[in-house]
Amino acid sequence: MIDVFGSAERFLLGNGRLVERRLFGALFRGAPASGVADAVRGYRNADGGFGHGMEPDTRCPASLPIYTEVAFQALAVAGVADAELLGPACDQLASVSDGDGAVALASPVIEDYPRAEHWSAWTYERGLNPTAGLAGRLHWLGFEHAWRDAATAYTWGKLEAGDFPDEAHLLAELMVFLEHVPDRERADRHAAAVVERLGGSELFQLDAGAEGYGLTPLTIAPLASSRWRALFGAERIGAHLDRLLADQQADGGWPIAWTPPSEAARLEWRGMWTLDALRTLISYGRVPAPR
């Protein structure tokens, strides 16, 4: 029988980025969470934003909201609300918003650098993806900022109006926001409707046997403690956990189901997905926690 945790650890140590290795150490090996902030700091630009391909499908040095979202996610998972990183990053987000808090994933600057094919003009439009997810992660971190407040108001306005498409990534961003925003009654009122729309989205895979790229219930409820776990039911969550466990590769890592811009990017993504898979499987009790 494969040693799921041990082989995943070896894969991460051999192939993962410093950010994921530091996160692994903080989550599973008792390393200080401050090391995650140190690794994230290496991606910061002089304007306070994050760049340098922190999202591996784009290899651009400029500050982009998608990179800032990956940085916020790492800090939130580690539980490190580093004000020296978060404050300037929020200032930078405010500088590229249109006054209402909304930001775009990227900008045309990415066209000067290697990138995955799906990173194109649609990513230049301001909207809920990534605005809602960025705001949600700041609420997760408990970090207050004027840009966060503007992005929160923007997201609530779109939710109340139902003014958004049934696109899986956008809906997943909304679920991050709804999980962490403090107004629980209001959030719970919207969550079931967003999940219902997810079920009809082309890139959302309710069936654990689906092939190819797509988001799943474990994207929305990656931990056993998730507020949204019950929205999918124990049987469906269990089936996706079975599939996730079965997808581990012989080298200990988990695969990706799209074409990245380089082999280095593929390994970076696999390190990210391997860490996420371990975190989910251990949380749900499918893999024993390390001693």
Side-chain angles (χ1 to χ4, degrees):
M1 181 178 293
I2 187 171
D3 174 7
V4 174
F5 182 87
S7 59
E9 180 176 24
R10 288 189 291 275
F11 178 84
L12 271 168
L13 292 177
N15 301 284
R17 301 186 299 184
L18 180 60
V19 172
E20 281 69 50
R21 299 200 309 272
R22 284 288 181 93
L23 266 171
F24 178 89
L27 291 173
F28 303 123
R29 292 302 189 196
S34 60
V36 177
D38 291 338
V40 167
R41 191 170 283 108
Y43 291 88
R44 186 170 66 166
N45 284 316
D47 62 6
F50 294 91
H52 309 284
M54 191 161 197
E55 195 274 13
D57 275 345
T58 49
R59 317 299 284 182
C60 176
S63 295
L64 298 173
I66 181 58
Y67 297 154
T68 298
E69 185 170 39
V70 174
F72 286 1
Q73 174 70 15
L75 294 172
V77 169
V80 181
D82 188 318
E84 291 185 359
L85 290 173
L86 296 171
C90 288
D91 292 341
Q92 196 275 331
L93 289 170
S95 75
V96 297
S97 73
D98 212 12
D100 60 359
V103 295
L105 286 161
S107 74
V109 69
I110 65 173
E111 296 174 17
D112 294 331
Y113 300 92
R115 70 190 192 280
E117 208 171 281
H118 60 276
W119 280 86
S120 56
W122 71 271
T123 68
Y124 312 154
E125 299 174 9
R126 296 183 178 95
L128 289 169
N129 182 12
T131 305
L134 283 159
R137 288 170 175 88
L138 288 170
H139 285 294
W140 181 357
L141 284 159
F143 186 76
E144 298 181 2
H145 191 278
W147 179 82
R148 187 201 71 175
D149 295 342
T152 297
Y154 170 85
T155 302
W156 278 130
K158 292 290 187 180
L159 276 163
E160 297 289 356
D163 183 19
F164 49 90
D166 293 347
E167 196 283 315
H169 298 86
L170 182 153
L171 296 172
E173 293 283 275
L174 283 175
M175 294 304 287
V176 171
F177 174 83
L178 292 170
E179 179 142 18
H180 298 290
V181 72
D183 191 342
R184 295 311 326 149
E185 182 179 351
R186 194 179 185 188
D188 290 344
R189 192 166 67 243
H190 284 284
V194 174
V195 165
E196 185 175 353
R197 291 176 69 163
L198 259 172
S201 178
E202 182 180 357
L203 287 180
F204 192 71
Q205 298 173 342
L206 278 174
D207 178 6
E211 298 297 331
Y213 175 76
L215 309 188
T216 78
L218 295 178
T219 309
I220 310 303
L223 301 180
S225 58
S226 172
R227 299 182 66 85
W228 312 136
R229 177 182 180 180
L231 293 178
F232 297 101
E235 184 176 350
R236 180 162 281 138
I237 289 287
H240 280 278
L241 289 168
D242 291 343
R243 172 65 184 272
L244 182 62
L245 191 56
D247 280 347
Q248 187 179 27
Q249 304 295 285
D251 61 6
W254 269 259
I256 61 171
W258 68 95
T259 302
S262 67
E263 285 308 304
R266 183 183 300 279
L267 282 176
E268 290 178 4
W269 269 120
R270 291 191 67 206
M272 294 168 73
W273 278 48
T274 296
L275 180 65
D276 288 346
L278 272 185
R279 186 167 165 256
T280 293
L281 291 167
I282 288 171
S283 174
Y284 279 97
R286 292 301 187 93
V287 171
R291 297 179 180 180

